[in-house]
Amino acid sequence: MNEETLKLDIPLLLPDVEDARDQCIRRLQQNVQHHKGVLHSHVTANGGPPQLCIHFDPERTSFSAVRRAAQRAGADFRERYRHERIPFAGLEVADAAKGVEEELEALPGMLHARVNYAAGLAFVAYDTEQLGRETIERRLLSAGVRAVTPAPVEEAPEPRVVQEQRGPAFMPRWMRDSRTLVLIGLGAVFFLAGWLGSITETLPANVALVFFLLTYLAAGLDVARHAIPGLLKGRFDTDVLMLAAALGAALIGEWTEGAFLLLLFGLGHAGEHYVLDRARNAVNALGELMPSAARVRRGGEFQEIPVEKVRLGDVVLVRPGDRLPVDGEVVRGESAVDQSAITGESVPVDKAAGDEVFAGTINRENALEIRTTRLSGDNTLNRVMILVAEAQEQTSHTQQVTQRFTAIFVPAVLGLTLLVMVVPPLLGWMPFRESFYRAMLLLVAASPCALAVGTPAAVLAGIAQAARRGVLIKGGAHLENLGALRVMAFDKTGTLTTGHFTVTDVVPLDGTGAEGLLRVAAAVEQQSNHPLALAVVRAAREKELALPAAAGLQNVPGSGVRSEVEGREVLVGSLKLFAGRDAGNGSRAPLETLAETVASLEGEGKTTMVVRHGDDYLGVLALADTPRPGVRDTLQKLLELGVQKLVMLTGDNEAVAREVAREVGVIDVRAGLLPEEKLEAIRALQREHGAIAMAGDGVNDAPALATAAVGIAMGGAGTAVALESADVALMGDDLGQLPFAVGLSRASRRIIRQNI
């Protein structure tokens, strides 16, 4: 039997579908397979958008007929089935996300629902013939979550995660955003007042009781808001058990114990709110890199439109200094593009017709016209945002075990409490008053805080000690995990290296001094803001050289620059800038003799610049993004602490990466990685070695930081999104603090085990 294959991009058939595992894709496959001559179909995803591969018999149907059938099926699905992201507010506990999902999936006509607690988004797919958006929003509201209506596209075209406004409008913003922490702080003050008044007998018992009641209100309000609605719907979770334990303590007159239980548990809730806000900020920080509008050629002229309205194939104009609004291919113009935020490359990359470019990167020099190859919802930056949100949503193995344990433990404790309360009096073993007292003691003793009190002191002490040394650890789990890891991965640019170019070699030709070479090059380059030019000027200033005046600067795209110093032309750039040029009789060295020097320096992973003044070649400058001072010793200390493997992950080229790795002492190097490939490298390392840590500083590192068991961000040089996505931030921008943090984690783990 003959067989041919048709491949169609799923985003073209189903533009709203972002996940290759979406159930609608399976339904589409089933519909297409019913077409005459279709043998079978499947989904592939080879680094790009997912594709629907349709295998058919050409003797029974044609290529065009199969394509039309697939397009008709996609159109039918778009008309009937709808995929939406619904921003929401009000979900303040991660455990509640599963309950909201179950509520949504119980709706007739709902194909699937997923609630992202970290990003504040509900992803739903539903049959419009059975279900409407209003019904979904009502169900969310009944589950304690309210949908947030986004602003019109013209006013706010970028999707943003909406922060919930807590508290009255007259409150200061910090107080509204930290309402739970404020309540816990008040509860702590009330508890201390009542407790100290009781043990010192400076307060009457009734006054101390009032303070304990105020503690119940302040610390228990947040717990009750989640426990009572869940209980009414038949969900028994930790909140229910804690509230029952506090009420039980009050019923037997142990107000101090009940207030203290609620205070501890309320503090845990407050920490959860804080983590939620940090997670949402990570997605927002990514969104800030995406331009809201694009200049698109329509009818022979360029019009500015919202980026969401840009279509595949549209030609977009990007001016110098602007961020690119789309992923695409350059069709006109030549320029250098700073794509370090996406790929991690340490120097702007020259782009010309036919080259691929990414949304969120910065056009440095000349105007570019770019043909759009991906819609705004599918561009590289948007995929990074989705990866971060999904990685933050994932729960750890311990969390999963705890959730399963809680589902059994809480009803069991409540049931056992009821039996202890009722059975002994019925059998005549003891009076009801005594059995009730024992049941309440059992309830209080079985509360999770009874196990938790062994860890908070050690964790808080460890986090405080780390903060004093400039290491921000965003939670006890990360403090514990950091010391247990045996593999650490590092980004190169800005993490293992300084992230800034420096002049490493000044190689003058015979008859030219090193200062003369640097002086002429800096005179020209001081007119440019290119990172390489800035490094040359910085080197000249460090030597306090007097720079002559340069008459104008002309860019030679992809090769270098041209100017004039002391009445003679100056050329500074790569070897190809001089190809075919006649050096003249005054040249002290033919161009061929420079090739060996350039090849040798570039073989060491350095960037080279040849300088010619008039007819004379002055020499070669070499620049590199150099390793951070002391980084080799830092990595050696990590190995001595028990870390077994160090890995470098970078978007830079292989030669540069290998040279830096040799200097810092890293053996496993993986270069030329895009954000998705860094993420896959992390996942591969985790499959091979278990939990690992990842250290980075750029937007391109954010998905990997969020996916790693412990993400570590460089604080001073790190981008906002890297800091928000990471679990540990080295606020002093000093990688040398990492061995201290690992050692502190191990000491804290030992103390926690001893306490338990």
Side-chain angles (χ1 to χ4, degrees):
M1 180 190 300
N2 293 329
E3 180 178 314
E4 292 186 8
T5 302
L6 168 65
K7 293 184 178 182
L8 296 171
D9 287 351
I10 287 175
L12 295 178
L13 297 173
L14 302 174
D16 295 328
V17 174
E18 297 174 346
D19 192 338
R21 299 165 295 180
D22 194 292
Q23 293 183 15
C24 286
I25 295 179
R26 291 197 291 272
R27 290 172 180 253
L28 178 64
Q29 286 180 253
Q30 293 170 0
N31 281 14
V32 170
Q33 286 178 183
H34 293 155
H35 184 74
K36 181 184 69 174
V38 172
L39 304 175
H40 61 93
S41 64
H42 60 93
V43 176
T44 63
N46 299 318
Q51 291 184 316
L52 178 63
C53 294
I54 306 172
H55 300 262
F56 63 95
D57 183 353
E59 296 180 358
R60 300 182 58 197
T61 187
S62 67
F63 186 93
S64 298
V66 174
R67 183 174 59 189
R68 285 196 302 271
Q71 291 171 339
R72 278 198 306 270
D76 292 342
F77 266 81
R78 291 196 298 274
E79 184 175 344
R80 177 173 176 180
Y81 299 103
R82 183 166 297 168
H83 292 72
E84 291 191 30
R85 295 183 186 183
I86 304 178
F88 62 79
L91 186 64
E92 299 175 356
V93 181
D95 294 346
K98 186 63 177 176
V100 177
E101 283 183 3
E102 292 172 355
E103 294 269 353
L104 291 175
E105 291 188 336
L107 287 170
M110 181 66 70
L111 302 180
H112 58 83
R114 182 165 54 86
V115 176
N116 189 320
Y117 161 79
L121 293 170
F123 301 87
V124 296
Y126 58 94
D127 186 343
T128 57
E129 294 182 2
Q130 302 181 57
L131 188 61
R133 169 73 178 252
E134 298 79 10
T135 305
I136 296 172
E137 291 187 0
R138 285 198 299 271
R139 179 58 61 93
L140 283 171
L141 194 59
S142 70
V145 176
R146 74 172 183 279
V148 178
T149 304
V153 167
E154 287 75 11
E155 297 179 13
E158 299 177 38
R160 287 287 187 271
V161 179
V162 181
Q163 296 282 4
E164 180 183 8
Q165 177 171 308
R166 306 190 187 104
F170 61 81
M171 285 186 180
R173 181 175 179 179
W174 70 267
M175 188 175 289
R176 291 200 305 267
D177 293 342
S178 307
R179 186 198 65 186
T180 309
L181 286 173
V182 171
L183 285 174
I184 292 300
L186 288 174
V189 171
F190 295 145
F191 176 78
L192 284 174
W195 178 64
L196 291 174
S198 298
I199 63 173
T200 61
E201 298 182 352
T202 56
L203 288 178
N206 289 339
V207 176
L209 178 59
V210 170
F211 279 114
F212 289 137
L213 284 171
L214 290 173
T215 304
Y216 265 68
L217 288 174
L221 178 63
D222 198 49
V223 178
R225 285 178 57 229
H226 299 99
I228 294 174
L231 184 60
L232 294 176
K233 294 176 181 178
R235 291 200 298 268
F236 296 90
D237 56 16
T238 310
D239 290 342
V240 172
L241 186 55
M242 288 306 308
L243 192 61
L247 292 175
L251 289 173
I252 61 177
E254 299 294 343
W255 292 96
T256 306
E257 284 77 1
F260 190 54
L261 281 174
L262 281 180
L263 189 60
L264 282 177
F265 200 65
L267 184 61
H269 268 239
E272 204 165 31
H273 299 328
Y274 173 76
V275 171
L276 170 61
D277 290 338
R278 301 287 289 188
R280 289 178 176 174
N281 288 341
V283 182
N284 284 339
L286 280 167
E288 294 297 332
L289 296 179
M290 187 64 188
S292 60
R295 293 174 181 83
V296 179
R297 181 188 290 158
R298 295 280 168 84
E301 61 181 21
F302 286 98
Q303 303 175 3
E304 188 166 303
I305 64 172
V307 72
E308 282 80 5
K309 294 185 178 180
V310 177
R311 300 189 297 259
L312 291 175
D314 278 347
V315 175
V316 176
L317 174 67
V318 183
R319 299 173 303 185
D322 288 351
R323 285 191 183 273
L324 276 63
V326 296
D327 278 10
E329 177 183 307
V330 177
V331 293
R332 180 178 297 175
E334 295 181 346
S335 183
V337 175
D338 180 357
Q339 53 189 41
S340 58
I342 301 298
T343 67
E345 288 171 287
S346 51
V347 63
V349 179
D350 292 323
K351 299 291 184 179
D355 290 337
E356 183 181 18
V357 290
F358 307 108
T361 58
I362 303 173
N363 180 22
R364 285 289 190 185
E365 296 172 348
N366 305 309
L368 292 174
E369 292 185 19
I370 299 166
R371 180 183 295 110
T372 304
T373 57
R374 292 193 185 97
L375 299 175
S376 63
D378 189 45
N379 63 43
T380 302
L381 181 60
N382 192 67
R383 292 203 303 273
V384 172
M385 293 175 65
I386 293 171
L387 290 171
V388 171
E390 289 180 349
Q392 289 173 330
E393 182 188 11
Q394 296 168 359
T395 57
S396 68
H397 175 71
T398 302
Q399 286 176 296
Q400 295 169 6
V401 171
T402 301
Q403 290 169 358
R404 291 195 296 268
F405 174 74
T406 301
I408 300 170
F409 179 71
V410 173
V413 168
L414 293 175
L416 185 58
T417 300
L418 185 62
L419 289 175
V420 171
M421 184 190 306
V422 175
V423 172
L426 291 178
L427 297 179
W429 292 349
M430 65 182 66
F432 177 75
R433 181 180 180 83
E434 185 178 345
S435 68
F436 179 81
Y437 186 84
R438 294 191 178 194
M440 293 303 100
L441 288 177
L442 170 64
L443 187 59
V444 173
S447 66
C449 275
L451 294 174
V453 291
T455 60
V459 168
L460 292 176
I463 292 175
Q465 175 69 11
R468 283 194 289 270
R469 291 283 296 270
V471 180
L472 174 61
I473 300 177
K474 300 181 182 178
H478 310 311
L479 177 67
E480 291 185 67
N481 291 339
L482 185 59
L485 304 177
R486 295 291 178 266
V487 177
M488 288 191 175
F490 296 87
D491 172 51
K492 179 185 74 68
T493 305
T495 303
L496 294 177
T497 66
T498 62
H500 303 288
F501 275 87
T502 57
V503 176
T504 58
D505 299 87
V506 179
V507 185
L509 294 179
D510 295 339
T512 302
E515 290 189 355
L517 166 60
L518 190 57
R519 176 175 157 275
V520 171
V524 172
E525 297 289 17
Q526 66 181 342
Q527 304 172 90
S528 172
N529 64 354
H530 192 284
L532 296 178
L534 296 176
V536 172
V537 175
R538 189 164 54 247
R541 287 176 178 168
E542 288 173 357
K543 293 182 179 296
E544 299 181 350
L545 299 180
L547 304 183
L553 183 76
Q554 180 183 351
N555 181 57
V556 182
S559 300
V561 294
R562 178 189 296 109
S563 186
E564 187 175 301
V565 173
E566 297 172 347
R568 292 191 295 164
E569 181 187 57
V570 177
L571 296 173
V572 181
S574 62
L575 281 174
K576 64 181 178 181
L577 176 64
F578 304 94
R581 294 180 183 272
D582 183 7
N585 295 330
S587 175
R588 296 194 183 98
L591 183 59
E592 289 77 8
T593 62
L594 293 172
E596 293 182 6
T597 301
V598 169
S600 174
L601 292 169
E602 291 184 348
E604 297 174 5
K606 298 174 182 177
T607 300
T608 58
M609 302 166 67
V610 177
V611 182
R612 193 178 91 174
H613 190 192
D615 291 335
D616 299 328
Y617 285 96
L618 304 185
V620 181
L621 299 176
L623 304 93
D625 180 12
T626 55
R628 287 174 177 268
V631 67
R632 188 180 184 94
D633 292 338
T634 296
L635 299 184
Q636 183 59 39
K637 288 177 183 176
L638 290 173
L639 294 173
E640 292 170 358
L641 282 169
V643 177
Q644 298 170 357
K645 186 180 182 68
L646 303 175
V647 184
M648 178 192 290
L649 306 178
T650 179
D652 222 332
N653 67 67
E654 185 82 17
V656 172
R658 290 286 177 190
E659 178 60 24
V660 172
R662 183 188 63 79
E663 293 184 44
V664 302
V666 175
I667 296 183
D668 191 340
V669 179
R670 307 181 189 193
L673 304 179
L674 290 173
E676 298 96 328
E677 294 167 329
K678 278 193 177 182
L679 177 58
E680 184 51 42
I682 290 293
R683 288 173 173 165
L685 287 167
Q686 290 188 143
R687 286 193 295 269
E688 183 180 354
H689 300 285
I692 73 167
M694 166 71 185
D697 74 310
V699 173
N700 60 304
D701 303 320
L705 291 174
T707 300
V710 178
I712 304 165
M714 304 301 296
T719 60
V721 65
L723 293 176
E724 296 291 353
S725 302
D727 308 307
V728 177
L730 306 178
M731 300 309 296
D733 196 27
D734 181 8
L735 198 63
Q737 294 292 351
L738 189 53
F740 156 75
V742 172
L744 179 66
S745 171
R746 296 193 174 182
S748 299
R749 285 167 57 86
R750 286 195 301 271
I751 294 171
I752 290 169
R753 285 196 296 268
Q754 292 168 8
N755 288 351
I756 291 176

